[in-house]
Amino acid sequence: MTTIRRFCCDDLLRFASVNLDHLTETFNMSFYMTYLARWPDYFHTAVNPGDRVMGYIMGKVEGQGESWHGHVTAVSVASEFRRQKLAKTLMHLLEEISDKMDKAYFVDLFVRASNMPAIRMYEKLGYVVYRRVLRYYSGEEDGLGKYLECHTYVVSYSDYLLRCYCSHFYFICIFLDMRKALSQDVDKKSIIPLKRPITPDELEYD
Amino acid sequence: MASKFGLAGGIPERRVRPIWDAVDSRQYKSALKLCTALLAKHPTSPYALALKALTLERMGKPDEALSVCLEAKELLYSNNIFHFDDLTLSTLQIVFQRLERLDLATSCYEYACTKYPNNLELMMGLFNCYVREYSYVKQQQTALRMYKTVGEERFLLWAVCSIQLQAYFSSGGEKLLAFAEALLKKHISSHSLHEPEALSLYVSILEQQAKYDAALEVLSGDLGSLMGREEDKLRLQGRLLTQACNYVAASEIYQKVLESCPDDWESFLHYLGCLLERDVKLPKPTTGEHTCSSCSVDSNKTSLSEEVVESRLASALLFVQKLQKNDSSDSVRGPHLANIEIERQHRLSGNSTKFMEALVNYFHRFGHLSCSSSDVEIYLHMLSGDEITELLDTISRSFDASSVSVKALGLTITTFKVQELLGTLLSKSTTDLQRIAKGMVETFYKNLPLSRDLDPQESMHGEELLSMASNILVQLFWRTRNLGYLLEAVLVLEFGLTVRKHVWQYKITLVHLYSYLGALPLAHRW
């Protein structure tokens, strides 16, 4: 028995058990609050009878013309509440809102190519790989010796922040842009895969 | 907020962008160099000064930053600048905010708005300044000014929100709310509303004034179509009807919600509350404590007679059983938990015949899921010591603990979790606890093959066993002060991490244990 309701600011103080998961990224407060302010309908949380946050989904809708689409920025479920189809419920909710309320053409998301569990889950939910995004990381160690800063602009993914022990190096990370067509896209044009990979500056949206 | 890369005060973007980049990547020394170079070329640019102040503040030189800001402010106030630029003002505002001098930022914007009265961007900046200072009245006035200038719905809504804030935090709210309602009505009559949030705000203004019937009328009218999802509309209607004490209609609405979302626990509680004509408040499980919370939770006594309560509970049970039949999957547990809640209500009025039965049935059906113990935690606390033993015995007898299957493992873990939640483990002897801890680790080890086909990044079956075993070992340490137990706990968790690298529960406990033991470098590494 899961009550699914809109995420609110106070939930930011209660979602540690979800975000401590190594595959879930934690952003800063203003990031979450921007989403809450701009796309409140795309930010939902599931709570259990004891009012504990079981999981949440956050996303947005953007684009123009046939690129008007919903986007899943983050979806995560605490380990205790997994294997209960909660992520599926949250994703369906976002898809329903994108489809019926905002009349978007498709929903997309970014996932790290190495995150097999997530990729399998999205495939089961009907998402296909539309294109691959190659991202170059470079950076220095900061005081803690493990944090890597991105030189490209921040793109938010439903994946973990990479930690590394080396300094001053470049490497390539592959992300998958997965998509699911919605009812507006009658000919399913939005999910015809691209032939070649792209770099982040070729992305149309943040 | 204005974009970072506009043409500010006549400075081309290509000279400004590297400064922002340097600041964002914390390379303040090079940012300062660039700022100084920029100022050499544009000595009277308030924007360049603002950037320098920003850099100085980040470098930890607040006094210098403040004096540079004030210099920029002087330039702005002098009449040499062609036009006020929101980018300059917003940059200055950032620095003033970090220097905790919001008043200076506000006065800059106020001055700008008097100089350029109908500039929307500046007015929005001013509005934000008032928001930061919690000046609700000034917020409202600024928002209304913007609304009068361009007639956009959002500014009216900002004004209404400001009014709501005043109503919440000061007295004399009724008049203000009535004023907000009048503003909205006037706008709706000529422009209607276009955003779902606008509808929510309108309804909440009416709700705050206890005008529930008016709110319901709005929802069932044309504006109601703004609310995209039918369930959300129904929930809101249910809430309004409950507040209006129209319990019969409210319970019917909640039934509709439950028919489409049978797992919606909050709606079920509201449904039951409406049937019994009172608030069904459940105690929140207190973390870390194992006390039995008393059953006198429902402070609002119903005005209904016992017979009526019984018949209402019976009809609730019928409805819940219908929901159970509609969906027999594992993921919809709501109707089954609802059963327990109904029996709890019976127990509260003295007829506790089927409460235990409901709990046992729940565990039979869902006990293998890792959430089952936390689902029913509140109800477990209502049981007496004997009942707890009886429950645990019934569960243990219902499955074969020696078999290696996901279901058996789940049930084993659930029985441990129930004991952990209720604190019954704490009363056992040291030898018993040692045996249990050993048993947990052995069970974990024995069930490793179940996770063979899982991806290494997925969580394993039985992960919780090691956490529970280490908890027991720590308890044993507290009891006996034998350091060996702590070391065993560390070993158990380290073993867990060799099997699965990323279990955060192990890591956090390890960091704590390492710190306690004084092995700080290890703690730091994790």
Side-chain angles (χ1 to χ4, degrees), chain B residues 15 18-20 22 29-39:
Chain B
R15 296 216 62 186
I19 302 180
W20 281 106
K29 288 212 172 81
S30 62
L32 193 60
K33 268 194 214 140
L34 289 165
C35 283
T36 319
L38 195 67
L39 272 168

Side-chain angles (χ1 to χ4, degrees), chain A:
Chain A
M1 41 321 230
T2 310
T3 301
I4 300 187
R5 57 163 174 81
R6 276 204 186 166
F7 198 93
C8 65
C9 276
D10 278 351
D11 292 326
L12 287 172
L13 302 173
R14 296 164 355 115
F15 71 171
S17 59
V18 181
N19 273 35
L20 277 167
D21 170 56
H22 71 291
L23 290 172
T24 302
E25 191 164 356
T26 300
F27 308 104
N28 60 32
M29 296 268 272
S30 60
F31 188 83
Y32 292 110
M33 295 206 209
T34 308
Y35 273 79
L36 276 172
R38 289 180 67 181
W39 302 284
D41 259 333
Y42 283 77
F43 207 155
H44 283 91
T45 179
V47 292
N48 83 343
D51 209 28
R52 278 185 51 209
V53 173
M54 298 163 74
Y56 64 88
I57 186 164
M58 73 191 259
K60 55 181 171 171
V61 66
E62 60 187 356
Q64 273 151 9
E66 288 185 343
S67 289
W68 175 240
H69 68 281
H71 177 80
V72 180
T73 305
V75 58
S76 190
V77 176
S79 51
E80 192 185 328
F81 301 106
R82 289 192 186 155
R83 301 190 173 111
Q84 282 173 218
K85 303 202 168 51
L86 184 55
K88 178 178 173 184
T89 311
L90 291 169
M91 292 286 288
H92 276 329
L93 177 58
L94 188 139
E95 287 161 14
E96 191 193 327
I97 292 175
S98 290
D99 193 16
K100 307 238 164 65
M101 276 181 65
D102 288 309
K103 310 267 189 277
Y105 284 80
F106 59 92
V107 175
D108 85 342
L109 54 93
F110 291 106
V111 60
R112 200 174 291 259
S114 57
N115 189 351
M116 286 316 300
I119 294 171
R120 271 201 288 267
M121 178 186 78
Y122 295 132
E123 281 175 346
K124 266 197 234 162
L125 293 174
Y127 287 79
V128 296
V129 178
Y130 172 67
R131 61 189 170 181
R132 301 175 114 77
V133 185
L134 305 179
R135 191 148 160 229
Y136 297 86
Y137 278 94
S138 76
E140 302 171 349
E141 275 186 275
D142 74 359
L144 290 177
K146 288 190 171 53
Y147 188 85
L148 209 76
E149 277 181 18
C150 254
H151 264 231
T152 52
Y153 52 82
V154 176
V155 188
S156 40
Y157 305 101
S158 50
D159 271 309
Y160 63 96
L161 194 71
L162 204 65
R163 285 161 221 289
C164 152
Y165 299 82
C166 314
S167 61
H168 289 292
F169 69 95
Y170 291 84
F171 65 92
I172 299 169
C173 221
I174 300 174
F175 291 87
L176 303 181
D177 178 354
M178 296 183 77
R179 288 191 178 185
K180 179 173 180 177
L182 297 173
S183 58
Q184 291 281 311
D185 182 7
V186 178
D187 301 321
K188 305 270 182 279
K189 284 191 280 182
S190 60
I191 56 172
I192 300 170
L194 277 191
K195 295 232 163 45
R196 61 166 186 87
I198 63 166
T199 52
D201 39 279
E202 292 175 81
L203 284 169
E204 304 85 357
Y205 311 103
D206 257 335

Side-chain angles (χ1 to χ4, degrees), chain A residues 1-6 16-18 20-23 40-41 44 47-52 54 79-85 93 96-97 101 114-117 120 140 142 144 146-147 149 151 160 165, chain B residues 24-27 196-197 226-229 231-232 235 263-267 284-285 331 333-334 337 362 369-371 374-375 378 417 453-455 457-461 463-464 502 504-505 508 524-525:
Chain A
M1 41 321 230
T2 310
T3 301
I4 300 187
R5 57 163 174 81
R6 276 204 186 166
S17 59
V18 181
L20 277 167
D21 170 56
H22 71 291
L23 290 172
D41 259 333
H44 283 91
V47 292
N48 83 343
D51 209 28
R52 278 185 51 209
M54 298 163 74
S79 51
E80 192 185 328
F81 301 106
R82 289 192 186 155
R83 301 190 173 111
Q84 282 173 218
K85 303 202 168 51
L93 177 58
E96 191 193 327
I97 292 175
M101 276 181 65
S114 57
N115 189 351
M116 286 316 300
R120 271 201 288 267
E140 302 171 349
D142 74 359
L144 290 177
K146 288 190 171 53
Y147 188 85
E149 277 181 18
H151 264 231
Y160 63 96
Y165 299 82
Chain B
D24 282 343
S25 48
R26 300 190 229 177
Q27 290 160 0
E197 301 305 316
L226 279 173
M227 208 151 234
R229 295 182 67 233
E231 298 93 357
D232 289 338
R235 286 189 190 104
D263 227 19
D264 186 351
W265 186 241
E266 252 181 48
S267 292
K284 297 229 164 91
S331 46
R333 307 182 317 286
L337 196 71
Y362 190 81
L369 297 174
S370 43
C371 59
S374 59
D375 283 347
I378 315 158
K417 276 192 182 172
D453 295 326
L454 292 175
D455 188 281
Q457 289 177 104
E458 270 186 279
S459 52
M460 284 182 57
H461 296 291
E463 267 177 7
E464 305 104 313
H502 295 294
W504 65 264
Q505 290 92 333
I508 290 201
H524 178 71
R525 209 179 92 204

